[in-house]
Amino acid sequence: MGSFITRPARTADVSAIMGMAEPLVDQRVLVPKEAVAYYESIQEFLVAEAEDQSLIGFGALHVMWKDLAEVRTLATDSRWRGHGVGSALLEGLTTRARELGVARVFCLTFEVDFFTRHGFGIMNDQETVDPEVYTELLRSPDEGVAEFLDLARVKPNTLGNTRMILEL
């Protein structure tokens, strides 16, 4: 396949990210997002770039609380699956989480085996944050926070996904 690098995303990458995301949104693997949402969160994204400078993967790290972040929108071009792109992106995102001082990384995924290989475990229904933090998180309009808290209002969006977490 060739080699690739990972790097922070740039605003010029948004159209390529959206193009790669579109079939996954159609398959209900990724949540649909407007272009403005990608631009607003571009600093959260890492991308994988092939030798020809084409984007072959992307992923984001969204901080939810002082010790908690979410890996979001992690995807690899289908032609590059099995070549370490997703693993490299996930490693970069978890490194970024450690640098930010985050102790736990959450994800909502269909790719349970992939995340398990990288140390994530399936979340149980036990409380994952203390009651004071839970109350604060309830104030967030962010859907990822609602998914982490397993709120009933997001259940239709998360059907079939598995909530997983990694202790750093």
Side-chain angles (χ1 to χ4, degrees), residues 3 7 11 14 26 28 30 46 49-50 76-77 86-88 96 99 106 118 128 131-132 135 138 141 145 162-163 165:
S3 63
R7 63 168 174 78
T11 56
V14 169
D26 292 344
R28 298 188 53 133
L30 292 180
L46 292 180
E49 185 178 82
T76 301
D77 182 292
S87 294
R96 185 181 275 185
E99 291 168 351
F106 159 78
H118 291 88
T128 55
E132 290 174 11
T135 300
L138 282 175
V145 172
T162 301
R163 294 177 339 136
I165 197 154

PDB file of all heavy atoms in Angstrom, residues 3 7 11 14 26 28 30 46 49-50 76-77 86-88 96 99 106 118 128 131-132 135 138 141 145 162-163 165:
ATOM      1  N   SER A   3       3.422   4.027   2.456  1.00  0.00           N
ATOM      2  CA  SER A   3       3.508   4.566   3.810  1.00  0.00           C
ATOM      3  C   SER A   3       2.543   5.732   3.969  1.00  0.00           C
ATOM      4  O   SER A   3       1.977   6.240   3.000  1.00  0.00           O
ATOM      5  CB  SER A   3       4.945   5.003   4.110  1.00  0.00           C
ATOM      6  OG  SER A   3       5.324   6.046   3.236  1.00  0.00           O
ATOM      7  N   ARG A   7      -1.075  13.512  11.172  1.00  0.00           N
ATOM      8  CA  ARG A   7      -0.794  14.917  11.476  1.00  0.00           C
ATOM      9  C   ARG A   7      -2.074  15.588  11.940  1.00  0.00           C
ATOM     10  O   ARG A   7      -3.176  15.083  11.711  1.00  0.00           O
ATOM     11  CB  ARG A   7      -0.228  15.630  10.248  1.00  0.00           C
ATOM     12  CG  ARG A   7      -1.199  15.677   9.076  1.00  0.00           C
ATOM     13  CD  ARG A   7      -0.735  16.636   7.984  1.00  0.00           C
ATOM     14  NE  ARG A   7      -1.579  16.588   6.814  1.00  0.00           N
ATOM     15  CZ  ARG A   7      -2.773  17.165   6.698  1.00  0.00           C
ATOM     16  NH1 ARG A   7      -3.303  17.842   7.701  1.00  0.00           N
ATOM     17  NH2 ARG A   7      -3.464  17.078   5.556  1.00  0.00           N
ATOM     18  N   THR A  11      -8.006  23.106   8.133  1.00  0.00           N
ATOM     19  CA  THR A  11      -9.310  23.450   7.567  1.00  0.00           C
ATOM     20  C   THR A  11      -9.432  22.969   6.127  1.00  0.00           C
ATOM     21  O   THR A  11     -10.518  22.589   5.690  1.00  0.00           O
ATOM     22  CB  THR A  11      -9.575  24.966   7.648  1.00  0.00           C
ATOM     23  OG1 THR A  11      -8.508  25.669   6.991  1.00  0.00           O
ATOM     24  CG2 THR A  11      -9.696  25.431   9.092  1.00  0.00           C
ATOM     25  N   VAL A  14     -11.227  19.509   5.519  1.00  0.00           N
ATOM     26  CA  VAL A  14     -12.638  19.251   5.851  1.00  0.00           C
ATOM     27  C   VAL A  14     -13.398  18.604   4.698  1.00  0.00           C
ATOM     28  O   VAL A  14     -14.138  17.640   4.903  1.00  0.00           O
ATOM     29  CB  VAL A  14     -13.343  20.531   6.357  1.00  0.00           C
ATOM     30  CG1 VAL A  14     -14.858  20.336   6.432  1.00  0.00           C
ATOM     31  CG2 VAL A  14     -12.800  20.920   7.724  1.00  0.00           C
ATOM     32  N   ASP A  26     -24.065   7.217   5.550  1.00  0.00           N
ATOM     33  CA  ASP A  26     -25.159   6.513   4.868  1.00  0.00           C
ATOM     34  C   ASP A  26     -25.396   5.122   5.450  1.00  0.00           C
ATOM     35  O   ASP A  26     -26.524   4.653   5.510  1.00  0.00           O
ATOM     36  CB  ASP A  26     -24.866   6.389   3.365  1.00  0.00           C
ATOM     37  CG  ASP A  26     -24.904   7.730   2.648  1.00  0.00           C
ATOM     38  OD1 ASP A  26     -25.451   8.715   3.219  1.00  0.00           O
ATOM     39  OD2 ASP A  26     -24.378   7.805   1.522  1.00  0.00           O
ATOM     40  N   ARG A  28     -24.896   4.436   8.526  1.00  0.00           N
ATOM     41  CA  ARG A  28     -25.195   4.687   9.943  1.00  0.00           C
ATOM     42  C   ARG A  28     -24.068   4.231  10.867  1.00  0.00           C
ATOM     43  O   ARG A  28     -24.304   3.880  12.016  1.00  0.00           O
ATOM     44  CB  ARG A  28     -26.534   4.085  10.343  1.00  0.00           C
ATOM     45  CG  ARG A  28     -27.694   4.705   9.561  1.00  0.00           C
ATOM     46  CD  ARG A  28     -28.993   4.239  10.097  1.00  0.00           C
ATOM     47  NE  ARG A  28     -29.013   4.495  11.549  1.00  0.00           N
ATOM     48  CZ  ARG A  28     -30.011   5.047  12.195  1.00  0.00           C
ATOM     49  NH1 ARG A  28     -31.076   5.390  11.562  1.00  0.00           N
ATOM     50  NH2 ARG A  28     -29.956   5.226  13.492  1.00  0.00           N
ATOM     51  N   LEU A  30     -21.255   6.318  11.140  1.00  0.00           N
ATOM     52  CA  LEU A  30     -20.903   7.616  11.707  1.00  0.00           C
ATOM     53  C   LEU A  30     -22.147   8.490  11.781  1.00  0.00           C
ATOM     54  O   LEU A  30     -23.044   8.373  10.939  1.00  0.00           O
ATOM     55  CB  LEU A  30     -19.849   8.329  10.851  1.00  0.00           C
ATOM     56  CG  LEU A  30     -18.453   7.724  10.804  1.00  0.00           C
ATOM     57  CD1 LEU A  30     -17.547   8.575   9.910  1.00  0.00           C
ATOM     58  CD2 LEU A  30     -17.851   7.619  12.199  1.00  0.00           C
ATOM     59  N   LEU A  46      -7.112  14.493  14.022  1.00  0.00           N
ATOM     60  CA  LEU A  46      -5.875  14.047  13.384  1.00  0.00           C
ATOM     61  C   LEU A  46      -6.289  13.402  12.075  1.00  0.00           C
ATOM     62  O   LEU A  46      -7.378  12.830  11.981  1.00  0.00           O
ATOM     63  CB  LEU A  46      -5.159  13.002  14.232  1.00  0.00           C
ATOM     64  CG  LEU A  46      -4.559  13.428  15.557  1.00  0.00           C
ATOM     65  CD1 LEU A  46      -3.891  12.236  16.241  1.00  0.00           C
ATOM     66  CD2 LEU A  46      -3.545  14.549  15.368  1.00  0.00           C
ATOM     67  N   GLU A  49      -2.369  10.651   6.186  1.00  0.00           N
ATOM     68  CA  GLU A  49      -2.126  11.116   4.828  1.00  0.00           C
ATOM     69  C   GLU A  49      -1.158  10.155   4.140  1.00  0.00           C
ATOM     70  O   GLU A  49      -0.094   9.849   4.671  1.00  0.00           O
ATOM     71  CB  GLU A  49      -1.526  12.526   4.912  1.00  0.00           C
ATOM     72  CG  GLU A  49      -1.303  13.217   3.610  1.00  0.00           C
ATOM     73  CD  GLU A  49      -0.754  14.614   3.832  1.00  0.00           C
ATOM     74  OE1 GLU A  49       0.470  14.752   4.032  1.00  0.00           O
ATOM     75  OE2 GLU A  49      -1.558  15.556   3.822  1.00  0.00           O
ATOM     76  N   ALA A  50      -1.540   9.687   2.967  1.00  0.00           N
ATOM     77  CA  ALA A  50      -0.699   8.788   2.175  1.00  0.00           C
ATOM     78  C   ALA A  50       0.440   9.573   1.525  1.00  0.00           C
ATOM     79  O   ALA A  50       0.444  10.811   1.530  1.00  0.00           O
ATOM     80  CB  ALA A  50      -1.542   8.097   1.107  1.00  0.00           C
ATOM     81  N   THR A  76     -11.204   4.970   8.560  1.00  0.00           N
ATOM     82  CA  THR A  76     -10.106   4.720   7.622  1.00  0.00           C
ATOM     83  C   THR A  76     -10.688   4.423   6.256  1.00  0.00           C
ATOM     84  O   THR A  76     -11.711   3.743   6.147  1.00  0.00           O
ATOM     85  CB  THR A  76      -9.279   3.504   8.098  1.00  0.00           C
ATOM     86  OG1 THR A  76      -8.778   3.785   9.400  1.00  0.00           O
ATOM     87  CG2 THR A  76      -8.128   3.210   7.178  1.00  0.00           C
ATOM     88  N   ASP A  77     -10.040   4.915   5.222  1.00  0.00           N
ATOM     89  CA  ASP A  77     -10.427   4.588   3.854  1.00  0.00           C
ATOM     90  C   ASP A  77     -10.449   3.062   3.722  1.00  0.00           C
ATOM     91  O   ASP A  77      -9.517   2.385   4.164  1.00  0.00           O
ATOM     92  CB  ASP A  77      -9.408   5.198   2.891  1.00  0.00           C
ATOM     93  CG  ASP A  77      -9.748   4.956   1.444  1.00  0.00           C
ATOM     94  OD1 ASP A  77      -9.673   3.789   1.009  1.00  0.00           O
ATOM     95  OD2 ASP A  77     -10.069   5.927   0.743  1.00  0.00           O
ATOM     96  N   GLY A  86      -5.894   3.062  11.225  1.00  0.00           N
ATOM     97  CA  GLY A  86      -6.754   3.302  12.391  1.00  0.00           C
ATOM     98  C   GLY A  86      -5.979   3.214  13.690  1.00  0.00           C
ATOM     99  O   GLY A  86      -6.171   4.027  14.603  1.00  0.00           O
ATOM    100  N   SER A  87      -5.090   2.249  13.771  1.00  0.00           N
ATOM    101  CA  SER A  87      -4.266   2.093  14.980  1.00  0.00           C
ATOM    102  C   SER A  87      -3.372   3.307  15.201  1.00  0.00           C
ATOM    103  O   SER A  87      -3.231   3.791  16.326  1.00  0.00           O
ATOM    104  CB  SER A  87      -3.411   0.831  14.878  1.00  0.00           C
ATOM    105  OG  SER A  87      -4.227  -0.316  14.877  1.00  0.00           O
ATOM    106  N   ALA A  88      -2.766   3.804  14.127  1.00  0.00           N
ATOM    107  CA  ALA A  88      -1.898   4.981  14.238  1.00  0.00           C
ATOM    108  C   ALA A  88      -2.695   6.206  14.673  1.00  0.00           C
ATOM    109  O   ALA A  88      -2.233   6.996  15.517  1.00  0.00           O
ATOM    110  CB  ALA A  88      -1.197   5.247  12.907  1.00  0.00           C
ATOM    111  N   ARG A  96      -2.472  12.330  22.614  1.00  0.00           N
ATOM    112  CA  ARG A  96      -2.976  13.689  22.815  1.00  0.00           C
ATOM    113  C   ARG A  96      -3.766  13.770  24.120  1.00  0.00           C
ATOM    114  O   ARG A  96      -3.642  14.730  24.884  1.00  0.00           O
ATOM    115  CB  ARG A  96      -3.850  14.095  21.632  1.00  0.00           C
ATOM    116  CG  ARG A  96      -4.316  15.532  21.689  1.00  0.00           C
ATOM    117  CD  ARG A  96      -5.203  15.858  20.509  1.00  0.00           C
ATOM    118  NE  ARG A  96      -4.398  16.242  19.352  1.00  0.00           N
ATOM    119  CZ  ARG A  96      -4.926  16.662  18.214  1.00  0.00           C
ATOM    120  NH1 ARG A  96      -6.236  16.704  18.054  1.00  0.00           N
ATOM    121  NH2 ARG A  96      -4.151  17.017  17.214  1.00  0.00           N
ATOM    122  N   GLU A  99      -1.386  13.914  26.992  1.00  0.00           N
ATOM    123  CA  GLU A  99      -0.749  15.234  27.042  1.00  0.00           C
ATOM    124  C   GLU A  99      -1.676  16.282  27.649  1.00  0.00           C
ATOM    125  O   GLU A  99      -1.224  17.222  28.301  1.00  0.00           O
ATOM    126  CB  GLU A  99      -0.313  15.668  25.646  1.00  0.00           C
ATOM    127  CG  GLU A  99       0.843  14.853  25.095  1.00  0.00           C
ATOM    128  CD  GLU A  99       1.095  15.082  23.614  1.00  0.00           C
ATOM    129  OE1 GLU A  99       0.276  15.750  22.932  1.00  0.00           O
ATOM    130  OE2 GLU A  99       2.120  14.572  23.119  1.00  0.00           O
ATOM    131  N   PHE A 106     -13.260   7.537  26.195  1.00  0.00           N
ATOM    132  CA  PHE A 106     -14.511   6.862  25.894  1.00  0.00           C
ATOM    133  C   PHE A 106     -14.690   6.786  24.385  1.00  0.00           C
ATOM    134  O   PHE A 106     -14.210   7.645  23.643  1.00  0.00           O
ATOM    135  CB  PHE A 106     -15.648   7.681  26.526  1.00  0.00           C
ATOM    136  CG  PHE A 106     -17.012   7.464  25.952  1.00  0.00           C
ATOM    137  CD1 PHE A 106     -17.750   6.342  26.278  1.00  0.00           C
ATOM    138  CD2 PHE A 106     -17.575   8.405  25.096  1.00  0.00           C
ATOM    139  CE1 PHE A 106     -19.021   6.150  25.755  1.00  0.00           C
ATOM    140  CE2 PHE A 106     -18.838   8.222  24.576  1.00  0.00           C
ATOM    141  CZ  PHE A 106     -19.558   7.084  24.903  1.00  0.00           C
ATOM    142  N   HIS A 118      -6.895  -2.484  21.418  1.00  0.00           N
ATOM    143  CA  HIS A 118      -6.155  -1.298  21.849  1.00  0.00           C
ATOM    144  C   HIS A 118      -6.391  -0.970  23.322  1.00  0.00           C
ATOM    145  O   HIS A 118      -6.120   0.155  23.759  1.00  0.00           O
ATOM    146  CB  HIS A 118      -6.501  -0.113  20.945  1.00  0.00           C
ATOM    147  CG  HIS A 118      -5.961  -0.301  19.563  1.00  0.00           C
ATOM    148  ND1 HIS A 118      -6.658  -0.957  18.577  1.00  0.00           N
ATOM    149  CD2 HIS A 118      -4.761   0.025  19.028  1.00  0.00           C
ATOM    150  CE1 HIS A 118      -5.923  -0.996  17.481  1.00  0.00           C
ATOM    151  NE2 HIS A 118      -4.770  -0.420  17.724  1.00  0.00           N
ATOM    152  N   THR A 128     -20.233   5.993  36.058  1.00  0.00           N
ATOM    153  CA  THR A 128     -18.877   6.189  35.568  1.00  0.00           C
ATOM    154  C   THR A 128     -18.261   7.506  36.027  1.00  0.00           C
ATOM    155  O   THR A 128     -17.082   7.719  35.842  1.00  0.00           O
ATOM    156  CB  THR A 128     -18.863   6.149  34.027  1.00  0.00           C
ATOM    157  OG1 THR A 128     -19.786   7.108  33.546  1.00  0.00           O
ATOM    158  CG2 THR A 128     -19.214   4.769  33.526  1.00  0.00           C
ATOM    159  N   PRO A 131     -21.562  11.819  41.304  1.00  0.00           N
ATOM    160  CA  PRO A 131     -22.848  12.517  41.105  1.00  0.00           C
ATOM    161  C   PRO A 131     -22.720  14.007  40.769  1.00  0.00           C
ATOM    162  O   PRO A 131     -23.485  14.526  39.967  1.00  0.00           O
ATOM    163  CB  PRO A 131     -23.573  12.314  42.440  1.00  0.00           C
ATOM    164  CG  PRO A 131     -22.981  11.062  43.001  1.00  0.00           C
ATOM    165  CD  PRO A 131     -21.546  11.060  42.551  1.00  0.00           C
ATOM    166  N   GLU A 132     -21.743  14.695  41.364  1.00  0.00           N
ATOM    167  CA  GLU A 132     -21.572  16.128  41.071  1.00  0.00           C
ATOM    168  C   GLU A 132     -21.159  16.346  39.615  1.00  0.00           C
ATOM    169  O   GLU A 132     -21.659  17.245  38.945  1.00  0.00           O
ATOM    170  CB  GLU A 132     -20.543  16.746  42.015  1.00  0.00           C
ATOM    171  CG  GLU A 132     -21.037  16.852  43.445  1.00  0.00           C
ATOM    172  CD  GLU A 132     -19.939  17.331  44.387  1.00  0.00           C
ATOM    173  OE1 GLU A 132     -18.870  17.783  43.915  1.00  0.00           O
ATOM    174  OE2 GLU A 132     -20.165  17.259  45.602  1.00  0.00           O
ATOM    175  N   THR A 135     -24.088  15.670  37.243  1.00  0.00           N
ATOM    176  CA  THR A 135     -24.992  16.826  37.177  1.00  0.00           C
ATOM    177  C   THR A 135     -24.434  17.896  36.250  1.00  0.00           C
ATOM    178  O   THR A 135     -25.176  18.485  35.458  1.00  0.00           O
ATOM    179  CB  THR A 135     -25.225  17.398  38.591  1.00  0.00           C
ATOM    180  OG1 THR A 135     -25.803  16.367  39.400  1.00  0.00           O
ATOM    181  CG2 THR A 135     -26.161  18.590  38.563  1.00  0.00           C
ATOM    182  N   LEU A 138     -24.709  16.784  32.582  1.00  0.00           N
ATOM    183  CA  LEU A 138     -26.083  16.871  32.079  1.00  0.00           C
ATOM    184  C   LEU A 138     -26.378  18.226  31.442  1.00  0.00           C
ATOM    185  O   LEU A 138     -27.265  18.340  30.600  1.00  0.00           O
ATOM    186  CB  LEU A 138     -27.098  16.613  33.204  1.00  0.00           C
ATOM    187  CG  LEU A 138     -27.321  15.170  33.604  1.00  0.00           C
ATOM    188  CD1 LEU A 138     -28.252  15.101  34.811  1.00  0.00           C
ATOM    189  CD2 LEU A 138     -27.888  14.356  32.454  1.00  0.00           C
ATOM    190  N   PRO A 141     -24.797  20.449  25.950  1.00  0.00           N
ATOM    191  CA  PRO A 141     -25.649  20.176  24.788  1.00  0.00           C
ATOM    192  C   PRO A 141     -25.024  19.139  23.846  1.00  0.00           C
ATOM    193  O   PRO A 141     -25.635  18.734  22.864  1.00  0.00           O
ATOM    194  CB  PRO A 141     -25.742  21.539  24.100  1.00  0.00           C
ATOM    195  CG  PRO A 141     -24.435  22.202  24.443  1.00  0.00           C
ATOM    196  CD  PRO A 141     -24.095  21.731  25.836  1.00  0.00           C
ATOM    197  N   VAL A 145     -21.595  13.606  25.017  1.00  0.00           N
ATOM    198  CA  VAL A 145     -21.735  13.552  26.468  1.00  0.00           C
ATOM    199  C   VAL A 145     -22.984  12.757  26.822  1.00  0.00           C
ATOM    200  O   VAL A 145     -22.969  11.906  27.713  1.00  0.00           O
ATOM    201  CB  VAL A 145     -21.770  14.976  27.077  1.00  0.00           C
ATOM    202  CG1 VAL A 145     -22.120  14.921  28.555  1.00  0.00           C
ATOM    203  CG2 VAL A 145     -20.431  15.673  26.866  1.00  0.00           C
ATOM    204  N   THR A 162     -21.548   0.032  20.889  1.00  0.00           N
ATOM    205  CA  THR A 162     -21.086  -0.393  22.200  1.00  0.00           C
ATOM    206  C   THR A 162     -20.313   0.749  22.839  1.00  0.00           C
ATOM    207  O   THR A 162     -19.450   1.360  22.197  1.00  0.00           O
ATOM    208  CB  THR A 162     -20.176  -1.631  22.066  1.00  0.00           C
ATOM    209  OG1 THR A 162     -20.932  -2.676  21.445  1.00  0.00           O
ATOM    210  CG2 THR A 162     -19.673  -2.098  23.416  1.00  0.00           C
ATOM    211  N   ARG A 163     -20.616   1.038  24.096  1.00  0.00           N
ATOM    212  CA  ARG A 163     -19.881   2.053  24.850  1.00  0.00           C
ATOM    213  C   ARG A 163     -18.642   1.388  25.424  1.00  0.00           C
ATOM    214  O   ARG A 163     -18.727   0.378  26.111  1.00  0.00           O
ATOM    215  CB  ARG A 163     -20.751   2.618  25.985  1.00  0.00           C
ATOM    216  CG  ARG A 163     -21.935   3.379  25.485  1.00  0.00           C
ATOM    217  CD  ARG A 163     -22.868   3.910  26.576  1.00  0.00           C
ATOM    218  NE  ARG A 163     -22.778   3.249  27.844  1.00  0.00           N
ATOM    219  CZ  ARG A 163     -22.745   3.876  29.030  1.00  0.00           C
ATOM    220  NH1 ARG A 163     -22.793   5.179  29.101  1.00  0.00           N
ATOM    221  NH2 ARG A 163     -22.686   3.195  30.155  1.00  0.00           N
ATOM    222  N   ILE A 165     -14.445   2.068  27.084  1.00  0.00           N
ATOM    223  CA  ILE A 165     -13.613   3.044  27.779  1.00  0.00           C
ATOM    224  C   ILE A 165     -12.203   2.481  27.974  1.00  0.00           C
ATOM    225  O   ILE A 165     -12.016   1.271  28.104  1.00  0.00           O
ATOM    226  CB  ILE A 165     -14.253   3.462  29.131  1.00  0.00           C
ATOM    227  CG1 ILE A 165     -13.641   4.747  29.654  1.00  0.00           C
ATOM    228  CG2 ILE A 165     -14.230   2.329  30.135  1.00  0.00           C
ATOM    229  CD1 ILE A 165     -14.547   5.547  30.551  1.00  0.00           C
TER     230      ILE A 165
END
